[in-house]
Amino acid sequence: MHNLKDLRLNFENFKKKITSRNTKVDFDQILLLDKKNRELIQKKEMLEKEKKDISKTKDKSLFAKSKEIGSKIEKLINDQNNEQKKLNDLISTLPNLPLDDVPVGKDESSNKVIEKKGEIKNFDFKPKSHYELGENLKMLDFNLATKTTGARFVFVKDKLALLERAISNFMIDVHTQQNGYQEISPPLFASENSMFGTGQLPKFENDQFEIKLDEKNDRKFLIPTAEVILTNMVKDKVLNHNELPIRLVASTPCFRKEAGSYGKDTKGMIRQHQFYKVELVSVVENHECINELERMTSCAMMILDKLKLPYRKIILCTGDMGFSAEKTYDLEVWLPSENKYREISSCSSCGTFQARRMKSRYKNNKNETVSVGTLNGSGLAVGRTLIAILENYQLNDGSIIIPDALKPYMNNLDKISINK
């Protein structure tokens, strides 16, 4: 959420930054609503002063006039509340402002590669896709999922189900034991207010799965990512600076309609309505956001390094960042069957944007009450990690070598083979 006072003082810069987000905004409407709102507030305050002055005189002959002024004040309050709501509703749909070092661009073609890590394997055979490998092993069943549930779901079976669980447990252990995150097992439902706080509502309501409850006014949603529920753990709180940083990690199912992805990645597990993800969330003093972003991204990279998967780190341009982000790094893992990198993690600093929506603050070392900084990142997407292991560790006969880091979580199994 944007601060109206800051918006007024730096309107041209605000307009430039928002425009770079590839977002269409009626800036004239914002200025008009703000002007109307302030005029109504000024009129109300003038009438309140006049009514107070009349009251001080104790002149009974002015009683009727005072009552008339009271009615006008009541109408102005109602009008002002309506204008304020229109203004707040409009501002709540505006994305965060990108930091100055974020590349300006319309879409992913303007993202910039920062570094590449890991060795891309040269196969002496044509590498199969993850869904071919999984179906040949009889451990991925998309047809059965379509029959029981619908498109963009999958049954993961037998040793691949064990591998999926191993990946999640491995990631949680690394992040809690080596990277200093506290493990949380959170609710998978989020309230409307929580979804607003992290920026999923109101703009992206069409991509959310809403739960039908008996209480029609009590709206609940399946979490699209654990970021929502973890970040909102500090909603409406005033923390002390010595309580920060807070670093949280959770492995949860995530649910998304993928409303804007019609026709994209219809085969396989790349883009599903239900998937597992290990999510990292940090709550920090607001001046520490950029340092924490580098730290969080390094934690996600550590998982890929330990699994010996080739990947690259990129910085997203203004037009490709998420709604609440001020700066984002994506990690993209190499998929041999596609001969290209695909996103496996996204780590973002949101600055104070979410904190203002959640009313989450802290007392700094000057005892000033200010907004916290929030960050979130995938550490990593479990399903996409499973895909990357299947494809990068495949053998000519369709068997899958188990990465060394995962063997302790796989009963020391060396590989997954057909009919074994």
Side-chain angles (χ1 to χ4, degrees):
M1 198 77 170
H2 296 288
N3 184 298
L4 260 176
K5 187 177 179 182
D6 292 341
L7 191 155
R8 289 188 209 108
L9 290 173
N10 305 288
F11 187 75
E12 287 307 314
N13 181 60
F14 177 87
K15 185 176 179 180
K16 179 183 175 183
K17 294 270 190 180
I18 291 291
T19 302
S20 77
R21 294 295 312 262
N22 198 23
T23 301
K24 291 182 180 179
V25 177
D26 189 342
F27 293 102
D28 291 336
Q29 180 71 358
I30 292 174
L31 290 176
L32 180 62
L33 286 171
D34 185 38
K35 183 181 178 184
K36 280 185 180 179
N37 187 51
R38 283 188 289 158
E39 285 175 349
L40 288 168
I41 291 171
Q42 288 171 358
K43 286 179 182 177
K44 176 177 71 75
E45 288 175 346
M46 286 174 64
L47 286 175
E48 284 173 339
K49 183 180 183 303
E50 186 177 351
K51 192 171 188 298
K52 190 176 181 180
D53 290 343
I54 289 173
S55 177
K56 284 179 180 178
T57 65
K58 298 180 181 180
D59 186 343
K60 291 182 180 180
S61 66
L62 296 174
F63 179 77
K65 185 176 181 181
S66 178
K67 190 174 181 181
E68 182 186 343
I69 291 171
S71 297
K72 287 180 180 179
I73 290 171
E74 193 173 324
K75 185 179 184 305
L76 282 170
I77 289 172
N78 186 57
D79 290 345
Q80 190 264 320
N81 285 339
N82 288 335
E83 292 301 315
Q84 184 74 61
K85 186 179 184 306
K86 289 179 190 176
L87 183 58
N88 289 345
D89 288 348
L90 180 54
I91 289 175
S92 72
T93 66
L94 302 180
N96 200 354
L97 303 183
L99 296 180
D100 290 339
D101 63 340
V102 173
V104 176
K106 186 177 180 181
D107 53 36
E108 61 183 18
S109 63
S110 296
N111 296 341
K112 293 186 178 180
V113 178
I114 295 174
E115 65 176 313
K116 293 181 179 180
K117 295 191 73 176
E119 186 178 340
I120 294 174
K121 183 178 178 181
N122 290 317
F123 291 92
D124 56 8
F125 58 91
K126 184 181 178 182
K128 294 183 176 65
S129 67
H130 71 278
Y131 50 87
E132 289 176 293
L133 291 161
E135 287 177 336
N136 289 343
L137 287 166
K138 296 184 173 25
M139 296 179 194
L140 290 182
D141 198 329
F142 297 95
N143 292 332
L144 181 59
T146 300
K147 287 178 184 176
T148 62
T149 311
R152 295 193 187 273
F153 292 91
V154 65
F155 277 93
V156 184
K157 302 177 179 180
D158 197 19
K159 294 296 189 293
L160 287 192
L162 174 60
L163 179 57
E164 183 180 54
R165 179 159 51 92
I167 291 167
S168 179
N169 289 342
F170 162 70
M171 290 177 183
I172 289 290
D173 282 352
V174 171
H175 291 312
T176 55
Q177 296 171 19
Q178 298 182 41
N179 293 332
Y181 288 84
Q182 179 188 3
E183 183 177 2
I184 303 291
S185 179
L188 301 182
F189 285 18
S191 68
E192 182 179 13
N193 185 261
S194 291
M195 294 284 278
F196 175 84
T198 45
Q200 278 72 25
L201 295 182
K203 192 159 187 177
F204 303 102
E205 185 167 336
N206 289 339
D207 206 28
Q208 313 306 325
F209 284 108
E210 185 171 358
I211 307 300
K212 289 187 177 180
L213 299 170
D214 292 336
E215 296 287 335
K216 290 184 179 179
N217 294 327
D218 185 20
R219 301 180 73 195
K220 295 285 191 294
F221 298 83
L222 289 172
I223 59 169
T225 164
E227 169 208 342
V228 175
I229 210 77
L230 295 180
T231 309
N232 274 282
M233 287 173 69
V234 295
K235 177 174 64 177
D236 297 323
K237 283 189 176 183
V238 178
L239 304 164
N240 196 287
H241 69 91
N242 58 20
E243 295 179 77
L244 303 174
I246 296 169
R247 297 186 177 111
L248 309 171
V249 61
S251 178
T252 69
C254 305
F255 306 89
R256 295 180 191 171
K257 286 184 180 178
E258 297 290 352
S261 62
Y262 181 78
K264 293 180 183 177
D265 300 311
T266 54
K267 281 189 174 183
M269 294 175 65
I270 287 285
R271 204 177 294 272
Q272 301 248 288
H273 290 312
Q274 173 188 316
F275 56 95
Y276 286 93
K277 184 153 64 84
V278 171
E279 185 75 1
L280 306 173
V281 161
S282 294
V283 181
V284 299
E285 293 187 71
N286 54 46
H287 62 272
E288 286 293 334
C289 282
I290 299 310
N291 289 335
E292 187 68 13
L293 178 61
E294 298 297 332
R295 182 190 188 279
M296 178 180 282
T297 309
S298 295
C299 291
M301 291 167 69
M302 180 187 291
I303 300 294
L304 290 164
D305 290 335
K306 287 178 179 292
L307 293 175
K308 298 180 180 176
L309 290 168
Y311 68 96
R312 67 181 185 180
K313 175 184 175 182
I314 64 174
I315 183 170
L316 299 193
C317 72
T318 53
D320 198 34
M321 286 197 305
F323 178 80
S324 297
E326 63 178 7
K327 183 176 182 178
T328 299
Y329 291 122
D330 269 10
L331 301 179
E332 298 182 336
V333 70
W334 178 256
L335 295 187
S337 72
E338 298 185 23
N339 199 38
K340 67 179 181 182
Y341 292 95
R342 297 295 297 261
E343 180 195 336
I344 197 168
S345 173
S346 191
C347 298
S348 298
S349 168
C350 299
T352 58
F353 184 81
Q354 292 177 327
R356 287 195 294 271
R357 294 169 79 100
M358 296 187 303
K359 297 180 176 61
S360 176
R361 296 162 293 164
Y362 74 104
K363 288 191 178 292
N364 62 20
N365 56 13
K366 296 179 182 178
N367 208 34
E368 300 165 327
T369 303
V370 293
S371 296
V372 300
T374 63
L375 302 96
N376 63 81
S378 316
L380 310 160
V382 175
R384 293 196 178 192
T385 305
L386 177 64
I387 290 168
I389 289 170
L390 288 175
E391 294 204 7
N392 285 280
Y393 281 88
Q394 65 179 291
L395 299 177
N396 195 13
D397 66 357
S399 299
I400 310 298
I401 299 293
I402 305 299
D404 289 340
L406 295 180
K407 286 180 181 177
Y409 299 86
M410 293 285 294
N411 302 317
N412 292 314
L413 193 67
D414 289 321
K415 68 177 180 178
I416 298 172
S417 303
I418 295 173
N419 300 323
K420 288 186 182 179

